[in-house]
Amino acid sequence: MIGRALQFFFCAAMFFSFALVGRADLSLGKIYALEFTDIDGKKISTSDGHITVIVLTTTADLTQAHAVGDRVPVYCLGNPTYRMVSVINFQKKRSAPMRIILTAVARRRVDAEAKILQARYAANKIDKDARRDIFVVTDFDGNAVTQLGSFLDSSRFAVFVFARNGELLRKWDDLPPATELAAVVK
């Protein structure tokens, strides 16, 4: 009887530890092939040949996410080597109709942001549709958030920079200084 209880306890402990490993913080220098789908249905991977800046945010911190975009160096704008992805953590599960509504609101906001970015493109003589360079992932079920080492109910703000092969180059838990961000993406 005690042997059976120990087996059960051991199995439960192993399961729990494996569940936590999937949610551990990401480590600098390690390669991660994280995969996301944005609100336009585009598949995005951290290991698909782009230098990727990922901003993990909630709806309460969208201003900080916007500030990260403003700090992206000019040489990254319109350059297909670089991309920025905003992952919006909605922090709790939502019904299907509510997901549709929130995704539609996100698309409208992205379209408005694209107009602002288009002006920045024009000022820098970049002849490209800025809307195609904006990637937003709406995370209602925690899939994207847990890949980034966080929890669905977390209000954590974070910025990650991945190399072309998916290597995590840098991570900030707050708004990164523009000079540091520029140095890492270079």
Side-chain angles (χ1 to χ4, degrees):
M1 183 86 160
I2 292 177
R4 188 70 130 188
L6 283 174
Q7 282 180 332
F8 175 76
F9 176 76
F10 180 73
C11 288
M14 289 298 290
F15 175 77
F16 182 70
S17 66
F18 284 128
L20 286 179
V21 167
R23 293 181 179 209
D25 278 340
L26 304 183
S27 299
L28 295 180
K30 295 222 176 176
I31 295 175
Y32 297 94
L34 308 179
E35 295 186 357
F36 309 99
T37 303
D38 79 350
I39 59 174
D40 297 321
K42 293 181 212 149
K43 302 289 184 192
I44 300 166
S45 173
T46 56
S47 62
D48 65 1
H50 295 85
I51 294 173
T52 305
V53 176
I54 295 181
V55 179
L56 174 60
T57 186
T58 63
T59 54
D61 289 326
L62 290 176
T63 304
Q64 278 189 290
H66 190 271
V68 174
D70 289 343
R71 293 176 182 200
V72 168
V74 173
Y75 60 82
C76 296
L77 296 179
N79 186 333
T81 301
Y82 302 92
R83 75 171 159 221
M84 182 175 141
V85 179
S86 297
V87 175
I88 303 171
N89 177 7
F90 280 93
Q91 299 179 283
K92 56 184 166 182
K93 295 190 182 225
R94 309 285 177 149
S95 66
M98 184 55 84
R99 288 179 182 202
I100 292 168
I101 291 167
L102 291 171
T103 301
V105 169
R107 273 196 196 97
R108 288 183 69 210
R109 186 162 182 152
V110 166
D111 291 343
E113 289 295 324
K115 290 178 183 174
I116 295 167
L117 182 58
Q118 194 69 53
R120 193 171 172 197
Y121 276 22
N124 289 288
K125 297 182 171 96
I126 300 169
D127 188 28
K128 188 175 179 187
D129 180 11
R131 176 61 177 87
R132 292 177 178 229
D133 290 339
I134 299 178
F135 304 93
V136 174
V137 175
T138 50
D139 193 4
F140 299 106
D141 59 8
N143 182 42
V145 171
T146 55
Q147 287 185 73
L148 294 167
S150 196
F151 295 91
L152 182 61
D153 60 354
S154 172
S155 60
R156 178 177 164 198
F157 176 88
V159 179
F160 306 83
V161 178
F162 293 91
R164 293 173 185 243
N165 65 348
E167 178 187 350
L168 180 59
L169 300 174
R170 188 69 193 266
K171 181 183 126 191
W172 294 270
D173 290 324
D174 202 357
L175 192 60
T179 54
E180 287 183 31
L181 181 61
V184 173
V185 298
K186 188 97 178 156

